[in-house]
Structure formats: C-alpha cells, structure tokens
C-alpha cells in the first residue's frame, strides 16, 4: 500500500485523479473511492468496501460472477449490512482469493482524502486495505490523506496571533477533537493556555521543524509557505461565506449613525456581534494579507479566491474593518497585494487601485460609520471607476440617488485634518521615497501615508 500524505492544497487529490485516469486507460483500475466530509455516504466506511466490491464487478466479469455467488449465500448477503471488516472478507477476500492468485497484472485501488472519513471508520479502512494487499498481493492500493500533525502544528506556527482551539479549527477546517489529540502528544513543546490558545514554548521548536537541513523526517517537516497558502485560502473562504452588506442587520436610523451610536440605538449586544462577526472572520479580515504576502500568488486556486474577494466582497470587508476598529489596516493590505501582482493592467489591479483612492478620499467617513461606505462614499465615487461600476449595486436601496457626480478620480487624494480647525500646521516633510509625510504643529506631530492620506502615528506635544 502506497500512502501519499501532506498538507492540504499541495495536490494530493490531483495526483490521485491523474493516476486513476491513467490506470483506467491501461485497464488496471479496479476501483476508486473519494471520501468527502460534506457527503453522508462518503464521510464514513459503511459503504466503502461494498462500493469497492461493486466496482470490481464492473471491472472484471470473472470477479462479478464470484462476488455474485457470494451474495447469494446467507453470509454474503448479510455482510452488506455489517461492519467494514465483515464486508471485506465476505465480498472481496473470500470470493476473489483463488481467482487473483494466478493473476499477473496488478489491480489498482485508489482511495483519496481518507482524512475526511470519520475517525473510527478511518482506522477500519486502513486496517482493511492493509489486509487486502497482504492476503491478495495482486491488489495495489494508493491512499492519500492529510497529515494532521503537520496541518495543526504548521497553523500554530503560521498564525499571526495565538488563536483559541475553536477558532483555529475553523481556520484550518479540522475538528476541535482532532486538534486536541495532536496537542495532547505535544505538551512538552506546545502550551495550551487558560485562554485555550496553543502557544509554542520556545522558538527553537518551529526553527527546527521548518529547516529541511536539520529536520530530516518528512513527516515532521513544516513547509511554511504551504501553511500560509492554506490559511490564506481559508481566510478568503471564510470571508466569502460570511461577509455581506450590513452584516449586523442595523435598521433605521441606526445604520446612518456613527458605529457606536448605531449599535447602541439598535441595542446590539457583544454576543450578537460575536455571532455575526465571529473570531475566525475577524482573523480573516485582519490577517489575510499577511498570509498572502508569504504565500505569494503563484498558486492558481489562491489567485482565484483573491479575485473573487476583490470582485464581490471588498466593500463588505471595509465595513467589517470599520466595525471592529481596524480600518487603518485596509490600505496596508491593498498595497501588499498590489506589490505582489505582476506589472501590467488588469481588472484586479484597477479595482485595488480604485480602492486605495476610495479609502483615502472617504477615510474619516467610513472609519466613523461603516455603512456610509454604501450610503455616502460609494455614490460619490467617480462613475467611470471600475470600483463604482462593480459595486454600485450595493447602493441600490439608498435613500436618494446622486446625479452629476464626478466621472474620474481627480488630483485630490484625500482631505486630511491635522488637529482642531484653528490649529495651524507649521511644517510638512516627505520621506525620501515619498511614501510617508509628517505634519507638525505646536500641539502634535503626525505621520501620514502619502498614498492614501491616512494617519499612521501621532505624537502629542505640550498643550
């Protein structure tokens, strides 16, 4: 039996499908089974060996006769409703034993995504397949599965801040119980704190696991880039599933108010906010760009997720960042992506460039009131901009329409306020790369992002 294991997203299923296709072409594929956590008939082993037996009947007429004869017996017919081991013996091992012993050509059985099978049944499948190849050597099994250890430890190493096990489970799509089983065996190197968030005791542990020259065992090695690809992909999946306009469901007049006033007006509790914007969504909204920056975007699936996010959810993302008081991170994330994109024109680049102008122009407004992203900022966005054309549908139920607005972005990047309206600015200086500038008055010094006009840091002076 050949086992192909590794982190999610590295192409194990692609390999399995390719081998199955080529084996079928050579008339060597006896059977295949692809587990799926989301399908009731394919997330357990109840029908695993009966399905293999059926496919073997289709594959070979002699096999079909032998298995058919077995089903006519009382033991054979009863086996279909019994446990997997009984099914294996009654429907495959006993009927085919004498037939395949003299067979020269191998019979290939491919099993994909065993990790998506129920844990108890997973052991039965492995035990049964091992018995199959041991007792009937003509059978060759290729099995793919996710390496739980690598997925869990890789995620703990790669996340940008410690996450509770429940949130980590959502982020890497692994059951909480399975994560705890991995952590139970690593208590000497990973601490599970009072906040239920796993933390690595010492930096030497991840340093060792991520260094191929030092960690020689491939079962222990952690490829951080693959970890970041997986987490970035999951961030986009989580945002795609949960982000929407007016995520908290604010009514009138709360949706037109400042964030804190609107929440108070509609009596939105912290518990309700946690339900609508759970921790995994907060993490995804805040840190997706950090993972993308390490992962790069050569991965086609990841690139598709990025394009979908920018196409459908960028303004919804700005809304959530405003609500969770992280709006200052928006322009940083967009600039990370623009830096990663290959030179040249594309809708993705144009949308992101428009988003930078959008954030700069309406920064203070959106930061104060998330839903004014749609009610005030979007209608006054240049009508010829790709962002406006792509997202104006989100302003469809605005209380009024805007006519005669700007068609193109003008030279004005942003209106910025240094301090109070009577406070004069004495000095403005740009950085050497012109990416930052500083404004200074007798009361304060402010550092700004020169691209978007957003404040980065403030130093208060003597009053």
């Amino acid at each position: 039996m050949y086992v192909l294991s590794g982190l999610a997203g590295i192409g194990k299923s692609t390999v399995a499908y390719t081998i199955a296709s080529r084996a079928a072409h050579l008339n060597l594929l006896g059977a295949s089974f692809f587990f799926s956590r989301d399908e009731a008939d394919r997330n357990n082993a109840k029908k695993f060996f009966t399905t293999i037996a059926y496919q073997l009947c289709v594959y070979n007429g002699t096999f079909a006769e032998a298995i058919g004869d077995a089903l006519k017996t009382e033991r054979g017919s009863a086996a279909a409703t019994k446990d997997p081991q009984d099914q294996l013996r009654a429907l495959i091992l006993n009927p085919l034993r004498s037939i395949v012993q003299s067979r020269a050509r191998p019979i290939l059985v491919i099993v994909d995504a065993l990790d998506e099978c129920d844990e108890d049944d997973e052991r039965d499948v492995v035990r049964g397949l091992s018995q199959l190849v041991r007792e009937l050597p003509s059978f060759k099994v290729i099995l793919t599965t996710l390496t739980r250890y690598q997925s869990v430890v890789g995620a703990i190493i790669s996340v940008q801040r410690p996450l509770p096990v429940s949130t980590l489970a959502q982020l890497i799509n692994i059951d909480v119980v399975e994560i705890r089983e991995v952590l139970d065996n690593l208590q000497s190197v990973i601490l599970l704190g009072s906040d239920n968030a796993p933390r690595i005791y010492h930096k030497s542990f991840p340093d060792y696991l991520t260094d191929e020259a030092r960690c020689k065992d491939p079962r222990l090695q952690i490829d951080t880039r693959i970890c970041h690809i997986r987490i970035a992909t999951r961030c986009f999946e989580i945002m795609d599933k949960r982000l929407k306009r007016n995520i908290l469901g604010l009514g009138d007049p709360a949706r037109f108010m400042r964030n804190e006033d609107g929440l108070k007006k509609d009596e939105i509790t912290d518990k309700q906010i946690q339900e609508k914007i759970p921790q995994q969504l907060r993490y995804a909204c805040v840190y997706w760009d950090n993972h993308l920056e390490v992962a790069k975007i050569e991965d086609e699936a990841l690139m598709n997720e990025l394009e979908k996010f920018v196409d459908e959810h960028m303004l919804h993302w700005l809304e959530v960042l405003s609500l969770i008081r992280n709006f200052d991170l928006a322009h940083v994330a967009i600039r990370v992506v623009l830096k990663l994109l290959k030179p040249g024109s594309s809708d993705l680049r144009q949308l992101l460039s428009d988003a930078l102008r959008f954030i700069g122009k309406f920064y203070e407004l959106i930061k104060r009131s998330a839903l004014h992203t749609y009610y005030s900022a979007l209608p006054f966005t240049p009508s010829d901009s790709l962002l406006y054309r792509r997202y104006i549908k989100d302003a469809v139920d605005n209380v009024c329409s805007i006519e005669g607005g700007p068609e193109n972005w003008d030279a004005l990047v942003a209106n910025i306020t240094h301090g109070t309206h009577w406070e004069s600015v004495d000095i403005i200086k740009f950085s050497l790369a012109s990416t930052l500038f500083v404004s200074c008055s007798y009361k304060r010094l402010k550092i700004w992002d020169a691209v978007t006009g957003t404040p980065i840091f403030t130093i208060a002076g003597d009053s």
Side-chain angles (χ1 to χ4, degrees):
M1 183 162 63
Y2 304 90
V3 178
L4 177 61
S5 65
L7 290 171
I10 65 171
K12 299 184 299 297
S13 293
T14 301
V15 172
Y17 275 103
T18 302
I19 294 175
S21 177
R22 293 184 180 180
H25 180 71
L26 296 171
N27 197 31
L28 296 176
L29 182 64
S32 62
F33 195 96
F34 297 85
F35 284 99
S36 174
R37 183 178 289 108
D38 298 325
E39 296 187 31
D41 288 338
R42 295 202 289 140
N43 62 11
N44 58 72
K46 291 179 181 177
K47 296 183 179 180
F48 176 75
F49 285 110
T50 55
T51 301
I52 298 297
Y54 170 78
Q55 292 185 19
L56 289 172
C57 291
V58 175
Y59 169 68
N60 184 285
T62 305
F63 292 178
E65 289 181 15
I67 294 173
D69 290 340
L71 284 169
K72 293 175 184 177
T73 67
E74 183 177 347
R75 184 177 180 182
S77 60
T81 60
K82 293 187 176 181
D83 69 79
Q85 296 303 313
D86 286 340
Q87 294 172 1
L88 172 66
R89 282 191 297 271
L91 301 179
I92 299 175
L93 293 179
N94 293 340
L96 302 184
R97 194 181 306 277
S98 60
I99 300 174
V100 300
Q101 282 180 346
S102 59
R103 183 182 172 92
R105 303 186 77 201
I107 307 160
L108 190 61
V109 175
I110 294 179
V111 181
D112 183 50
L114 179 62
D115 52 278
E116 299 212 21
C117 176
D118 176 81
E119 185 177 353
D120 292 332
D121 285 0
E122 183 177 332
R123 298 188 184 97
D124 288 335
V125 170
V126 173
R127 191 182 305 117
L129 291 174
S130 299
Q131 185 178 357
L132 173 65
V133 298
R134 185 173 61 251
E135 296 190 20
L136 304 180
S138 294
F139 280 90
K140 309 298 179 185
V141 174
I142 294 178
L143 176 70
T144 74
T145 185
L146 187 68
T147 305
R148 296 300 192 199
Y149 162 85
Q150 290 176 319
S151 297
V152 173
V153 177
I156 293 171
I157 290 173
S158 303
V159 290
Q160 303 300 294
R161 61 178 176 84
L163 295 174
V165 170
S166 57
T167 305
L168 190 68
Q170 293 287 337
L171 193 62
I172 60 178
N173 206 23
I174 294 179
D175 189 76
V176 169
V177 174
E178 295 180 61
I179 293 177
R180 289 190 179 279
E181 287 180 353
V182 173
L183 295 177
D184 285 344
N185 294 316
L186 296 170
Q187 294 182 43
S188 61
V189 287
I190 297 180
L191 169 70
L192 193 61
S194 58
D195 57 356
N196 209 28
R199 291 175 173 83
I200 293 172
Y201 274 115
H202 197 273
K203 189 175 180 295
S204 60
F205 179 57
D207 286 348
Y208 171 75
L209 295 178
T210 57
D211 187 346
E212 290 186 15
R214 296 169 62 197
C215 183
K216 302 294 186 181
D217 190 338
R219 295 171 300 176
L220 301 179
Q221 291 172 357
I222 303 294
D223 187 326
T224 53
R225 182 170 176 269
I226 291 176
C227 293
H228 284 288
I229 288 174
R230 176 58 181 163
I231 295 174
T233 302
R234 278 294 295 156
C235 284
F236 287 129
E237 290 173 351
I238 290 167
M239 290 190 290
D240 180 55
K241 182 178 180 180
R242 290 187 171 271
L243 287 179
K244 62 180 181 179
R245 174 181 163 161
N246 194 6
I247 193 169
L248 296 180
L250 295 177
D252 294 333
R255 55 184 175 152
F256 301 108
M257 297 177 172
R258 289 172 176 261
N259 290 336
E260 56 271 23
D261 295 335
L263 297 178
K264 186 176 180 180
K265 177 68 177 177
D266 274 10
E267 299 180 343
I268 303 294
T269 64
D270 289 343
K271 182 180 179 181
Q272 289 173 311
I273 295 174
Q274 285 291 338
E275 289 174 354
K276 298 292 179 64
I277 312 177
Q279 287 301 313
Q280 66 268 23
L281 179 58
R282 290 173 183 244
Y283 183 92
C285 287
V286 171
Y287 294 111
W288 64 265
D289 62 300
N290 298 80
H291 295 291
L292 187 70
E293 189 171 22
V294 179
K296 309 298 183 187
I297 47 179
E298 290 93 358
D299 184 83
E300 184 178 352
L302 182 57
M303 185 66 174
N304 290 339
E305 292 288 349
L306 170 64
E307 289 178 342
K308 184 177 183 182
F309 166 72
V310 173
D311 238 13
E312 300 177 10
H313 295 298
M314 191 157 55
L315 297 194
H316 307 149
W317 168 62
L318 296 181
E319 176 191 336
V320 169
L321 287 182
S322 173
L323 289 169
I324 64 174
R325 300 179 181 179
N326 283 117
F327 190 65
D328 289 347
L329 301 176
H331 75 285
V332 177
I334 292 172
R335 290 174 67 181
V336 164
V337 181
L338 285 171
K339 188 176 179 180
L340 291 173
L341 290 178
K342 295 177 181 178
S345 60
S346 67
D347 282 358
L348 178 59
R349 179 178 289 278
Q350 187 58 57
L351 269 171
L352 291 168
S353 299
D354 284 348
L356 274 184
R357 297 298 303 270
F358 182 81
I359 292 167
K361 197 171 186 69
F362 303 108
Y363 172 81
E364 292 293 343
L365 174 67
I366 298 173
K367 185 176 182 178
R368 288 195 306 267
S369 179
L371 291 181
H372 275 283
T373 302
Y374 318 105
Y375 297 130
S376 301
L378 187 57
F380 283 97
T381 299
S383 57
D384 279 352
S385 67
L386 186 57
L387 184 141
Y388 179 91
R389 299 198 304 270
R390 198 63 57 88
Y391 280 98
I392 191 58
K393 62 183 183 297
D394 280 334
V396 68
D397 63 345
N398 280 3
V399 291
C400 61
S401 59
I402 305 297
E403 294 184 3
E407 294 182 357
N408 300 294
W409 295 109
D410 54 31
L412 178 65
V413 173
N415 291 306
I416 62 175
T417 303
H418 176 83
T420 55
H421 67 276
W422 63 81
E423 186 179 333
S424 62
V425 175
D426 301 316
I427 299 172
I428 293 179
K429 292 285 186 180
F430 280 83
S431 65
L432 291 176
S434 295
T435 56
L436 303 172
F437 71 89
V438 60
S439 61
C440 184
S441 69
Y442 74 97
K443 293 191 70 173
R444 75 195 84 234
L445 179 148
K446 276 192 173 184
I447 300 173
W448 305 79
D449 184 308
V451 176
T452 63
T454 53
I456 297 173
F457 192 70
T458 300
I459 301 174
D462 295 332
S463 56

